[in-house]
C-alpha cells in the first residue's frame, strides 16, 4: 500500500516542484544559459568541418549532432547529488525523512518537475533542428524513435542514480561535491557531450563504450541522428539499462548504509 | 505509547585545533573524540501525556528526540514509538508522528505555506473533506488568515512557526515531538503557541514531548518532566514534585504601602529581593503560615502572594547537583 499512496502523491509533488522551480525567474534564465555548451561546441566543430569533413561528420552532421545534444541535455539533467550533499551536510534531509514518501522518490520528482520548463527551452531548438538542413540527418524510422524514448528514460535514470550514489557518499565524507565534479569531468570527455564518441581514437572509444557516461547522453543523440542500425542500437540500449540497474543498485545500497550514519545536524 | 530502554547514542567527532598548521596536519592525521550524547536513558510515556524533556545545552535532548522520530539510529538500546521501531521509518510510524523544531523548517521557503499544506495532504494521503476540516480548525486556533498565501521567506519568525505547526498537523499526528517550538518568539507569540499546543493535546488526545529552555512553556504545558544531563537521566516525575524536592522553600512576595528597611524583614525569612516597596522572602514550608501571619501583622502589606521558587532556579540547582554527582562517580572510578 505504501507504493500506491506514494504514487497518488506524485502529481502533487510534481506540481509543487514545478511551482518551486519557477519561483525565481532570473535564476531560471541563468540556468538555461548554463546548458548552452552544445551550442558552443556546435560553433567550434562546424568551423572545423568547414574546411573538410571530420570522419563522416560534415557541417550539417555537426549541427544535427549538437542541436540534438542540446535537446537531450534538457531531458536528462539531474542535480540530485548537489541537493543530497547540501541536505546531508546541513541536516536538512531530516525534514524529508520525516515524511512517508521515499526521499529518493521525492528527489527524483523534484528533478522531473522541471521537465516542462526544460521542454520550453528544448522545443525551439528541436524546431530549428527540423527546419534546417540538419533535419535530414535525423532518424526517420519509428523503431529508432521508439528506442530513443526508452534511451532517454534510461539516460535520465542513469544520471539520477549516479547522482544519488555520489550524493550518498556524503554520509561518510561529509561532502561529495568534489566527487561529483570528478564525475562531471569524465562525463564531459566520455559522454559525447563535447565530441562525438565516434571521433575518438579506437582505444579511447572502447573505454567510452565500457563506461556509463556515453549512455547518459551520447547514445540518445546517436539514436536521434540515425548513427546505428537497429541491432546495434538495441544492443547499446541494453547496455545502457544494464548500467541503470548497476547504478540503481549502488545508489540503493549506499543510501541504506549511509542513512545509518546520518547525523541529522542542526536544530 | 513511547518506550525507551537504555538508549545510547554515541558520535565520533573530529577534533582539530585552530590555525594553519593544525589544518595541514589534519589532512594526514585526524583525531576523533567519542561523544556520548545519550548514555543509557530509559523512560515510558503514556498515550495523551504532555511531558517536558529538559536539560542544559548539550544534554542530549534533541538527540533523543531525533532517535524517537527515526532520524538517528541508536548506538544501542531499545526504542518503541507507537509499537514501531523508529529507525525503520515504516509508513505507519511516519503517519503517526511529527517532529517540529524551532530551528529547522519543513515549509517550502520560496512558496506560500498553503503549498506545503497541500503537499503534506498528498503525501499523507489525507481525504479532501478531512483536510478542509483540519485546515479550518488550524486556521481558527492559530489565526493563520492570509499568512498562508504569502511566500514563506517573507513571513516573520512567529508567523512562520504558526505555519510550521499547521503544516505538521495536517495529518493529525498522534505523537508530537516539539523541539524548542517557541525559540526566538516574543512573549505574546510564545503564549499563543503554548495555548495552541495545549488545545491540540486536549482536542486530539495526542501525546506531546516538548523540549524548551523557556520554563514558562514547561510550567504551562507539562505536568510531568523528564530531565537529562550529560546524556543521563537525572529526574523523571511530576514537575511540582521536582520543585518541592529541589527547592522546598516558598517565596513570599510582599507589596508594601510604604518603604520598609531591610532590618524589618530579616526576622521573617531570607530576603531574596528588596527594593523599598517590594520584597521577596524565602521561607521554609513549615514556617510559611507563621511568616505570612507575622508579615500581615507587622508590615504595611498592600498585597501578598506565595510562590514556588522560579523553575529556572530549580533546574539550575538540579543540573548542578547531577553534574556534581557525575563528577564524584568519575573521580571514584
Amino acid at each position: 500500500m505504501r507504493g500506491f499512496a506514494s504514487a497518488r502523491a506524485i502529481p502533487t509533488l510534481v506540481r509543487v516542484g514545478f511551482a518551486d522551480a519557477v519561483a525565481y525567474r532570473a535564476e531560471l534564465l541563468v540556468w538555461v544559459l548554463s546548458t548552452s555548451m552544445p551550442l558552443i561546441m556546435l560553433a567550434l566543430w562546424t568551423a572545423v568541418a568547414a574546411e573538410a569533413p571530420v570522419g563522416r561528420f560534415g557541417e550539417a552532421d555537426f549541427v544535427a549532432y549538437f542541436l540534438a545534444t542540446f535537446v537531450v541535455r534538457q531531458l536528462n539533467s539531474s542535480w540530485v547529488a548537489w541537493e543530497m550533499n547540501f541536505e546531508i551536510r546541513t541536516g536538512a534531509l531530516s525534514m524529508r525523512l520525516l515524511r512517508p514518501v521515499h526521499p529518493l522518490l521525492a528527489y527524483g520528482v523534484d528533478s522531473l518537475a522541471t521537465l516542462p520548463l526544460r521542454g520550453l527551452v528544448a522545443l525551439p531548438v528541436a524546431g530549428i533542428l527540423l527546419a534546417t538542413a540538419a533535419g535530414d540527418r535525423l532518424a526517420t524510422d519509428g523503431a529508432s524513435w521508439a528506442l530513443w524514448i526508452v534511451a532517454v528514460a534510461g539516460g535520465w535514470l542513469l544520471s539520477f542514480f549516479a547522482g544519488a550514489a555520489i550524493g550518498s557518499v556524503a554520509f561518510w565524507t561529509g561532502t561529495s561535491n568534489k566527487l561529483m565534479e570528478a564525475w562531471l569531468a569524465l562525463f564531459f570527455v566520455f559522454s559525447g557531450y563535447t565530441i562525438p564518441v565516434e571521433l575518438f581514437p579506437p582505444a579511447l572509444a572502447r573505454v567510452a563504450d565500457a563506461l556509463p557516461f556515453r549512455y547518459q547522453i551520447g547514445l540518445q543523440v546517436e539514436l536521434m541522428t540515425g548513427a546505428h542500425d537497429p541491432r546495434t542500437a538495441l544492443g547499446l540500449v541494453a547496455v545502457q539499462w544494464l548500467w541503470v540497474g548497476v547504478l540503481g543498485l549502488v545508489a540503493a545500497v549506499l543510501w541504506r548504509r549511509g542513512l545509518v550514519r546520518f547525523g541529522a545536524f542542526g536544530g | 505509547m513511547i518506550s525507551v530502554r537504555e538508549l545510547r547514542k554515541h558520535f565520533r567527532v573530529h577534533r582539530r585545533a585552530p590555525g594553519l598548521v593544525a589544518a595541514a596536519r589534519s589532512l594526514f592525521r585526524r583525531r576523533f573524540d567519542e561523544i556520548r550524547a545519550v548514555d543509557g536513558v530509559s523512560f515510558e510515556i503514556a498515550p495523551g501525556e504532555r511531558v517536558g524533556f529538559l536539560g542544559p545545552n548539550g544534554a542530549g535532548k534533541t538527540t533523543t528526540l531525533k532517535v524517537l522520530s527515526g532520524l538517528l539510529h541508536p548506538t544501542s538500546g531499545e526504542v518503541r514509538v507507537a509499537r514501531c521501531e523508529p529507525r525503520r521509518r515504516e509508513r505507519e510510524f511516519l503517519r503517526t508522528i511529527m517532529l517540529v523544531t524551532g530551528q529547522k523548517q519543513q515549509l517550502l521557503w520560496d512558496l506560500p505555506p498553503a503549498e506545503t499544506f497541500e503537499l503534506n495532504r498528498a503525501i499523507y494521503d489525507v481525504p479532501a473533506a478531512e483536510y478542509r476540516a483540519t485546515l479550518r480548525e488550524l486556521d481558527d486556533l492559530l489565526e493563520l488568515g492570509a499568512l498562508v498565501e504569502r511566500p514563506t521567506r517573507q513571513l516573520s519568525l512567529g508567523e512562520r512557526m504558526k505555519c510550521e505547526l499547521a503544516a505538521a498537523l495536517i495529518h493529525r499526528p498522534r505523537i508530537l515531538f516539539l523541539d524548542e517550538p517557541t525559540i526566538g518568539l516574543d512573549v505574546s507569540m510564545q503564549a499563543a503557541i503554548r495555548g495552541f499546543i495545549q488545545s491540540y493535546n486536549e482536542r486530539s488526545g495526542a501525546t506531546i514531548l516538548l523540549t524548551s529552555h523557556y520554563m514558562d512553556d514547561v510550567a504551562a504545558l507539562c505536568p510531568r518532566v523528564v530531565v537529562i544531563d550529560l546524556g543521563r537521566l537525572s529526574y523523571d516525575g511530576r514537575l511540582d514534585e521536582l520543585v518541592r524536592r529541589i527547592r522546598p522553600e516558598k517565596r513570599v512576595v510582599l507589596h508594601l504601602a510604604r518603604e520598609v528597611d531591610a532590618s524589618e524583614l530579616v526576622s521573617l525569612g531570607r530576603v531574596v529581593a528588596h527594593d523599598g516597596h517590594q520584597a521577596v522572602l524565602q521561607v521554609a514550608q513549615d514556617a510559611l503560615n507563621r511568616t505570612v501571619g507575622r508579615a500581615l501583622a507587622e508590615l504595611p502589606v498592600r498585597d501578598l502572594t506565595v510562590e514556588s521558587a522560579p523553575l529556572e532556579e530549580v533546574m539550575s540547582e538540579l543540573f548542578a547537583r547531577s553534574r556534581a554527582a557525575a563528577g564524584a562517580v568519575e573521580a571514584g572510578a
Side-chain angles (χ1 to χ4, degrees):
Chain A
M1 292 307 283
R2 177 182 182 149
F4 290 126
S6 293
R8 277 199 297 274
I10 285 177
T12 308
L13 284 167
V14 170
R15 189 187 61 71
V16 173
F18 179 78
D20 205 24
V22 296
Y24 290 101
R25 286 175 296 181
E27 194 183 47
L28 195 64
L29 183 65
V30 172
W31 163 72
V32 169
L33 293 174
S34 74
T35 60
S36 59
M37 173 69 99
L39 304 181
I40 296 165
M41 298 316 292
L42 184 154
L44 278 174
W45 281 105
T46 50
V48 172
E51 301 287 319
V54 183
R56 70 169 178 84
F57 283 80
E59 280 183 86
D61 296 299
F62 276 123
V63 171
Y65 185 90
F66 284 110
L67 289 184
T69 303
F70 183 86
V71 171
V72 174
R73 182 66 173 148
Q74 303 309 320
L75 303 177
N76 84 337
S77 288
S78 166
W79 55 91
V80 63
W82 287 279
E83 212 169 349
M84 284 177 68
N85 184 80
F86 172 79
E87 293 189 1
I88 292 169
R89 192 160 48 83
T90 60
L93 178 63
S94 298
M95 289 298 143
R96 283 188 196 272
L97 291 173
L98 288 171
R99 290 174 166 158
V101 63
H102 198 292
L104 289 183
L105 175 66
Y107 283 126
V109 171
D110 278 355
S111 268
L112 287 175
T114 61
L115 268 186
L117 277 177
R118 291 172 172 269
L120 278 179
V121 178
L123 271 177
V125 176
I128 294 167
L129 181 54
L130 286 170
T132 60
D136 297 341
R137 295 335 195 245
L138 294 181
T140 50
D141 60 308
S144 289
W145 284 103
L147 263 184
W148 179 78
I149 291 170
V150 176
V152 165
W156 183 84
L157 281 172
L158 208 161
S159 298
F160 177 75
F161 287 143
I166 290 170
S168 296
V169 170
F171 284 122
W172 284 269
T173 58
T175 173
S176 59
N177 277 347
K178 297 294 176 200
L179 190 58
M180 190 61 205
E181 284 171 24
W183 174 279
L184 275 182
L186 292 170
F187 168 83
F188 284 130
V189 174
F190 288 109
S191 67
Y193 189 55
T194 50
I195 308 166
V197 173
E198 199 181 326
L199 299 180
F200 282 12
L204 204 59
R206 279 197 294 278
V207 174
D209 285 348
L211 295 173
F213 309 105
R214 178 188 179 187
Y215 307 100
Q216 283 185 268
I217 194 166
L219 173 62
Q220 296 92 303
V221 174
E222 291 159 22
L223 292 174
M224 265 179 104
T225 52
H228 303 295
D229 61 72
R231 191 185 170 87
T232 310
L234 198 62
L236 286 167
V237 171
V239 174
Q240 182 198 44
W241 278 84
L242 190 66
W243 270 113
V244 169
V246 168
L247 285 171
L249 190 66
V250 170
V253 169
L254 288 175
W255 170 264
R256 281 183 75 92
R257 298 209 169 164
L259 210 51
V260 178
R261 301 175 59 92
F262 180 50
F265 304 116
Chain B
M1 187 53 90
I2 297 173
S3 168
V4 177
R5 285 187 198 155
E6 285 299 308
L7 172 64
R8 286 186 167 76
K9 179 62 188 176
H10 299 173
F11 293 99
R12 196 162 166 259
V13 180
H14 175 217
R15 180 158 62 95
R16 178 174 79 72
L20 194 61
V21 175
R25 192 181 293 143
S26 77
L27 276 174
F28 303 99
R29 193 173 164 205
R30 298 229 155 184
R31 290 164 67 185
F32 291 93
D33 289 337
E34 189 185 59
I35 304 293
R36 298 179 172 208
V38 181
D39 201 21
V41 167
S42 303
F43 58 85
E44 307 268 336
I45 296 177
E49 265 197 285
R50 290 194 309 265
V51 178
F53 196 44
L54 307 178
N57 288 329
K61 309 182 295 293
T62 300
T63 300
T64 305
L65 285 193
K66 285 175 179 171
V67 170
L68 292 177
S69 50
L71 298 178
L72 291 176
H73 288 229
T75 305
S76 67
E78 195 182 306
V79 179
R80 286 276 185 278
V81 175
R83 296 182 184 161
C84 297
E85 207 177 335
R87 70 182 179 87
R88 294 185 183 280
R89 297 179 47 254
E90 291 152 323
R91 184 175 173 80
E92 272 320 295
F93 166 75
L94 293 173
R95 289 178 59 85
T96 303
I97 65 127
M98 184 41 85
L99 168 69
V100 179
T101 82
Q103 299 178 55
K104 277 264 183 288
Q105 61 170 43
Q106 66 159 318
L107 294 173
L108 296 159
W109 187 247
D110 295 317
L111 300 180
E115 294 281 20
T116 306
F117 299 167
E118 178 59 26
L119 185 70
N120 283 1
R121 183 202 63 73
I123 286 174
Y124 289 99
D125 208 15
V126 180
E130 186 184 321
Y131 172 66
R132 283 194 296 272
T134 305
L135 262 192
R136 268 197 305 274
E137 189 182 331
L138 291 170
D139 191 16
D140 284 349
L141 289 170
L142 288 163
E143 297 171 3
L144 298 174
L147 290 183
V148 299
E149 291 171 0
R150 281 166 33 197
T152 299
R153 64 174 186 270
Q154 290 175 348
L155 299 178
S156 72
L157 186 63
E159 291 168 342
R160 227 159 52 221
M161 181 46 70
K162 281 187 184 181
C163 294
E164 275 294 330
L165 279 169
L169 301 178
I170 292 290
H171 65 292
R172 297 177 182 262
R174 286 189 290 123
I175 301 173
L176 201 50
F177 301 117
L178 299 168
D179 188 16
E180 307 275 4
T182 57
I183 194 163
L185 303 184
D186 65 41
V187 177
S188 64
M189 191 61 78
Q190 283 178 31
I193 298 288
R194 276 197 292 270
F196 172 74
I197 293 167
Q198 180 151 3
S199 168
Y200 181 72
N201 165 261
E202 287 167 358
R203 287 181 186 212
S204 68
T207 307
I208 291 175
L209 185 56
L210 164 91
T211 78
S212 180
H213 287 294
Y214 298 129
M215 289 302 128
D216 288 347
D217 290 351
V218 179
L221 289 171
C222 305
R224 174 185 164 196
V225 292
V226 173
V227 184
I228 66 170
D229 192 12
L230 301 170
R232 293 174 197 152
L233 194 79
S234 57
Y235 178 80
D236 180 359
R238 289 192 58 82
L239 180 60
D240 49 13
E241 170 61 20
L242 174 68
V243 175
R244 197 188 61 73
R245 190 191 295 183
I246 300 293
R247 281 289 171 88
E249 306 88 358
K250 290 286 180 184
R251 300 271 168 106
V252 179
V253 182
L254 303 169
H255 297 271
L256 303 161
R258 64 166 170 80
E259 281 195 26
V260 296
D261 194 72
S263 59
E264 296 179 67
L265 299 168
V266 288
S267 64
L268 296 171
R270 191 166 78 81
V271 181
V272 177
H274 176 221
D275 69 348
H277 283 89
Q278 187 173 323
V280 181
L281 305 173
Q282 184 167 297
V283 297
Q285 180 81 48
D286 55 5
L288 183 61
N289 288 345
R290 189 164 16 102
T291 304
V292 169
R294 278 186 59 198
L296 291 171
E298 297 171 18
L299 297 170
V301 176
R302 185 188 288 161
D303 190 17
L304 180 151
T305 53
V306 177
E307 299 172 356
S308 295
L311 263 181
E312 286 80 359
E313 279 185 28
V314 173
M315 298 313 297
S316 298
E317 177 70 26
L318 178 66
F319 299 152
R321 287 187 196 180
S322 64
R323 286 186 180 222
V329 169
E330 278 176 24

